[in-house]
Structures are given as structure tokens and as C-alpha cells.
Amino acid sequence: MKKRIVRITAALCAAALLAGCGSISSKDGGYYTTEAAAQESYNYDSAAGSVDSGLVPENAAEAATDETAQKIIYNASLSMESTDFDTTREALMTAVEANGAWLESTSLYGTEKDHDRTADYTVRVPVGSYRAFLAAVGDAGSVLNISESAENITSSYIDVQARLSALEAQRDRLNALADQAETTADLLEIESQLSDVQYQLENYTRQLRSMDQQVSYSTVDIYLREVATLTPTGVTFGERIADAFGGGWDAFVGFLQGLVIALVYLWPVLLIAVAVVFILRKVWKKRPKKEKLPKPAQTPPPAEYPVKPGDGPKPKY
């Protein structure tokens, strides 16, 4: 009996060591030697209709499904504006549907009345349609800037795969031991080990599935803002002067429109003010004028004569 328990315990220890060795070999056996840079990012300005990826290769879709290729996650962030907010939103939704993408999150702020609406979208795009989707976004509105990043997760991916293989081998070994168990105590011990191995298998399987989804579907964050006039994109001095003149005239027209709207809003106050001024003027005109009193005649000052010696009062003795 003691010998059987010792054999089962030794087998369990061997299975555990097998799992540990499998995971270590994935790290020390040269799997990490082919990994490229962990992350790269690019930022550049682009005008409407000219957005293109300078980071994602054309064969990204084949690389995402190839087990021997590098596992790279591509992400992008765009900021854009439009004078026709509704049309641009519809064009973005059309681009999402046309490229097999889906919205992960969306939010809308502002009102149509105030023309200050903004929208935030997080879109998951198949990596094979990534470049086409960016081009469609560029056609939808004026893209001010775009930032792209590439994260290489090949090392982590291979490590998870190795751990899964080791755990599967450990599970098979435990199942074989369970078939050979002769007592209930031995069977319960083996089942406890199997339960722990199964939990780890599910956890690593979930991680691997998440990595596959991130590699196969790129994340694109889009910020859209409604504006009255587009941000100037001219690069020459003449174009900047022309944009400045146009912007100044638009600002002047906007100021006049705002002034007229403010006066319309304040018409009751203005009407009351005009009535008060009119009444005060009437009252002021009806008040009797005060008569001016004549000024008293002024007597000329006495002439001054020079005092001679000996003049004046004489002293009394």
C-alpha cells in the first residue's frame, strides 16, 4: 500500500515537473530570438482623403493567421472635423460596415442647435481591411492627425502556447494515473490535481484567444468634431494669408449675427428703456425754468493816492 502511494506521488511530482520544464523551455529554448521591436509609433498630419497607413503591411491578414509569423497588434488614433456632422457620421458608419468592422464603444456630445457636437468612436477593424478603412475615414471628413502603433507580442504568445502544451501533457498523464488508481484516496488526490490543471488550461486558453483577437482585429479610435469652418491646411504663405482673410470675414459675419440675435433676445428691455427715456425727456421739458436774478452793480474800488511825508493824523500832546 505504501509503495503504491509512493509511486502515485512520484508520478504526480513528475507531471508537475514536466509542466514546469515545458514552460521554462519556451523561454530558454530560443523562442524569443525572433521578436522585433516591442512597440513603434508614428504621427503625421494628413489632409482629407489622403489617409494611408505607413505602418501596417499589405499582407497583415495572412500574417495574423500564420502560426510561424510575428504576432503584432496594430492600433490607430485619428482626430477629424467636419462642417456637415451628420453626413460624416453616416460615412463613418458605412465604412465600418463595408470593411467588416464593428463598434466597440461610441459616445456623442453637444447639440445640433448649437453646432458644437463631438463624437468618440472605438472601432475594431479586421487587420486585412485596416488600410482600406483608414482611406474611407479620410474620405469622410477632414483628418487633422493620425497616430499609429504596433506592439509585438510574439514572446508572450509563444510562452502561453508552451504552457498550454505542458499542461495538456500533464492532464493526459493525470488521466492515465486516474485509470490506474486502486483506492478512493488516490483517486481524490489525482482529481484534485486534475482540477487545478484544468483551471490553468482554461486561463491560458482564454489568454491565447484574446491575443488572437487583438492580432486579427486592430483598434481604431476616432474623434470627430463639428466646426463652422475647417482648420486651414495650407502650407504656403499665400494660402495662409488667404485663409486668414477668409477666417477674419467669417468671424466678422458671425459677430454681426450674434449681435443681431442678442438684440432680438433683449427687445423687451430695449423697448422699456426707450419708453423711460421718452417719458423723462417729456417731464424735463415741462418743468418751469428758473428766472435769472440780475447781478448787483459793482462799485469801483477807491482810488489809491500816494501818501506824502507829513500827511496823516498828527500826534496829540
Side-chain angles (χ1 to χ4, degrees):
M1 179 67 181
K2 291 182 179 181
K3 292 182 179 180
R4 184 164 53 254
I5 294 176
V6 170
R7 287 197 301 271
I8 293 175
T9 304
L12 293 175
C13 292
L17 289 174
L18 179 62
C21 293
S23 60
I24 293 173
S25 64
S26 66
K27 197 169 185 178
D28 299 334
Y31 289 113
Y32 288 80
T33 57
T34 59
E35 185 176 11
Q39 185 171 2
E40 300 177 68
S41 61
Y42 298 83
N43 294 276
Y44 58 90
D45 295 332
S46 71
S50 61
V51 179
D52 189 16
S53 173
L55 189 62
V56 179
E58 294 183 358
N59 62 341
E62 291 78 3
T65 56
D66 188 357
E67 294 183 358
T68 61
Q70 297 287 310
K71 301 299 179 181
I72 302 176
I73 300 174
Y74 297 102
N75 296 320
S77 178
L78 297 96
S79 176
M80 58 191 304
E81 61 185 16
S82 174
T83 56
D84 192 344
F85 190 79
D86 294 326
T87 301
T88 301
R89 286 184 59 198
E90 293 177 0
L92 289 176
M93 295 302 101
T94 301
V96 170
E97 296 178 1
N99 291 279
W102 51 278
L103 286 173
E104 189 173 63
S105 66
T106 178
S107 57
L108 180 65
Y109 307 95
T111 60
E112 182 179 2
K113 177 181 178 182
D114 296 331
H115 302 286
D116 62 347
R117 289 174 291 178
T118 60
D120 290 303
Y121 300 105
T122 298
V123 186
R124 300 300 302 274
V125 185
V127 67
S129 303
Y130 177 85
R131 298 168 67 96
F133 179 76
L134 289 187
V137 171
D139 294 332
S142 177
V143 178
L144 300 179
N145 56 73
I146 174 175
S147 174
E148 297 181 85
S149 66
E151 182 182 2
N152 194 323
I153 61 168
T154 306
S155 296
S156 300
Y157 192 90
I158 293 177
D159 183 67
V160 172
Q161 281 184 323
R163 291 178 183 273
L164 278 174
S165 299
L167 288 170
E168 288 173 352
Q170 184 180 2
R171 181 189 57 189
D172 295 340
R173 178 61 178 169
L174 289 173
N175 285 327
L177 290 174
D179 295 337
Q180 298 174 4
E182 298 180 358
T183 64
T184 304
D186 294 342
L187 185 59
L188 291 176
E189 179 66 22
I190 295 172
E191 288 181 350
S192 176
Q193 292 285 339
L194 274 172
S195 177
D196 182 62
V197 169
Q198 186 64 32
Y199 173 79
Q200 295 184 55
L201 277 171
E202 293 176 356
N203 185 29
Y204 284 118
T205 301
R206 187 163 49 250
Q207 291 184 30
L208 199 66
R209 189 181 300 114
S210 176
M211 290 179 180
D212 286 332
Q213 188 180 38
Q214 292 178 0
V215 171
S216 300
Y217 286 85
S218 300
T219 301
V220 180
D221 294 318
I222 301 174
Y223 173 75
L224 173 63
R225 182 168 64 98
E226 183 179 21
V227 294
T229 56
L230 297 177
T231 300
T233 57
V235 294
T236 65
F237 181 74
E239 291 176 342
R240 294 173 65 183
I241 290 294
D243 292 334
F245 272 111
W249 174 254
D250 293 337
F252 176 71
V253 172
F255 169 76
L256 291 181
Q257 293 176 350
L259 180 61
V260 171
I261 292 174
L263 293 176
V264 171
Y265 272 112
L266 296 175
W267 73 266
V269 178
L270 297 176
L271 184 61
I272 294 173
V274 171
V276 170
V277 172
F278 179 77
I279 293 172
L280 290 177
R281 288 177 61 87
K282 287 291 185 180
V283 172
W284 183 263
K285 289 182 178 180
K286 290 181 179 180
R287 291 180 61 184
K289 296 182 179 180
K290 293 182 179 181
E291 297 181 359
K292 295 182 179 180
L293 298 176
K295 296 181 179 179
Q298 298 180 355
T299 57
E304 297 181 357
Y305 300 96
V307 178
K308 295 180 180 180
D311 293 344
K314 294 180 179 181
K316 297 180 181 182
Y317 299 97

